[in-house]
């Protein structure tokens, strides 16, 4: 299983962090050991590396090996919500040095996902997703604001890396990212439906 991520796929998120809006998908990956499930458990985070930022995203699950020209509906039957965590201070230092982001993006429990459910494109177009911390909404978005569509993301990942059964793609986060603190109660919503929870440990 591979975990691929799309950076800066919502223009307002790129702007809030002072980054340029990309002209093609910005790709990075996370180790498989970074994966965790939002099933109410406490997830331990690094304590001595500065701010940890939350980024809620829609996650696509690939059903089979993807060939050039394959359509989205033929290779994705399930989606989930996910949280891409970033050690923001670490990332800033790495960027200054021109180094890869892996230390900031790939730590244990940095790729959190809910249970998966059946993918329906029309539902995705109509349904907002959101992230609450201690019952306060911190992020909310819809795929209408994405710079690159699900199809474009799959095409890019397949061409650059290849895609196989079980691979996951985090498709980008809307604006509103911010810090997590120990003890935070975190909840992911699809419309009004709670899809997953976790506690920051």
């Amino acid at each position: 299983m591979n975990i691929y991520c799309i950076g800066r796929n919502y223009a307002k998120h790129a702007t809030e962090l002072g980054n340029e809006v990309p002209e093609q998908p910005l790709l990075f990956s996370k180790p498989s050991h970074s994966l965790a499930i939002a099933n109410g458990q406490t997830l331990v985070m690094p304590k001595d590396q500065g701010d940890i930022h939350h980024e809620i995203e829609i996650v696509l699950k690939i059903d089979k090996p993807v060939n050039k020209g394959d359509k989205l509906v033929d290779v994705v039957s399930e989606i989930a919500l996910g949280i891409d965590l970033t050690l923001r201070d670490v990332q800033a230092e790495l960027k200054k040095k021109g180094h890869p982001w892996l230390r900031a993006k790939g730590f244990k429990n940095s790729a959190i996902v809910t249970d998966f459910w059946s993918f329906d494109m029309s539902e995705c177009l109509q349904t907002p997703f959101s992230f609450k911390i201690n019952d306060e909404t911190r992020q909310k978005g819809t795929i209408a604001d994405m710079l690159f569509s699900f199809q474009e993301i799959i095409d890019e990942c397949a061409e650059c890396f290849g895609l196989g059964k079980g691979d996951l793609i985090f498709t980008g986060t809307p604006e509103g990212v911010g810090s997590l603190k120990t003890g935070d109660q975190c909840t992911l919503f699809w419309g009004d439906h709670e899809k997953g929870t976790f506690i920051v440990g």
Side-chain angles (χ1 to χ4, degrees), residues 5-189:
C5 306
I6 311 300
R8 306 176 194 170
N9 199 20
Y10 291 73
K12 290 182 179 178
H13 168 58
T15 301
E16 74 178 345
L17 295 182
N19 295 317
E20 294 182 359
V21 176
E23 295 183 1
Q24 67 178 123
L26 176 61
L27 305 175
F28 63 95
S29 64
K30 289 176 178 272
S32 58
H33 294 297
S34 68
L35 190 65
I37 307 301
N39 62 0
Q41 65 182 314
T42 296
L43 299 176
V44 177
M45 307 294 171
K47 297 294 191 296
D48 57 354
Q49 299 187 59
D51 278 347
I52 302 174
H53 278 192
H54 57 78
E55 304 181 14
I56 189 169
E57 317 200 4
I58 295 175
V59 181
L60 308 179
K61 186 175 184 180
I62 303 300
D63 289 338
K64 62 181 183 179
V66 178
N67 298 307
K68 186 175 181 179
D70 283 349
K71 299 302 182 185
L72 172 69
V73 294
D74 295 326
V75 298
V76 174
S77 64
E78 290 185 318
I79 63 170
L81 294 177
I83 299 290
D84 165 20
L85 294 181
T86 306
L87 290 167
R88 193 66 73 194
D89 297 332
V90 174
Q91 185 189 42
E93 287 301 312
L94 292 170
K95 288 167 70 175
K96 285 180 186 177
K97 297 174 182 178
H99 292 176
W101 298 355
L102 184 59
R103 290 181 182 274
K105 287 284 195 178
F107 57 94
K108 187 177 180 181
N109 296 331
S110 64
I112 305 168
V113 295
T114 67
D115 289 336
F116 285 81
W117 69 90
S118 295
F119 169 60
D120 183 305
M121 190 63 194
S122 61
E123 180 186 39
C124 285
L125 290 168
Q126 298 172 21
T127 307
F129 57 97
S130 59
F131 181 59
K132 289 187 177 183
I133 301 176
N134 304 322
D135 291 326
E136 178 185 348
T137 300
R138 299 292 184 89
Q139 285 187 272
K140 188 172 185 177
T142 68
I143 67 168
D145 295 324
M146 294 172 69
L147 297 172
F148 306 104
S149 69
F150 291 160
Q151 184 69 60
E152 290 172 305
I153 289 168
I154 285 176
D155 291 344
E156 190 81 2
C157 288
E159 181 176 354
C160 290
F161 310 120
L163 286 171
K165 181 178 175 62
D167 286 349
L168 304 180
I169 305 176
F170 283 65
T171 59
T173 193
E175 73 273 15
V177 303
S179 299
L180 293 177
K181 297 179 175 58
T182 301
D184 279 344
Q185 307 276 332
C186 302
T187 312
L188 299 86
F189 284 90

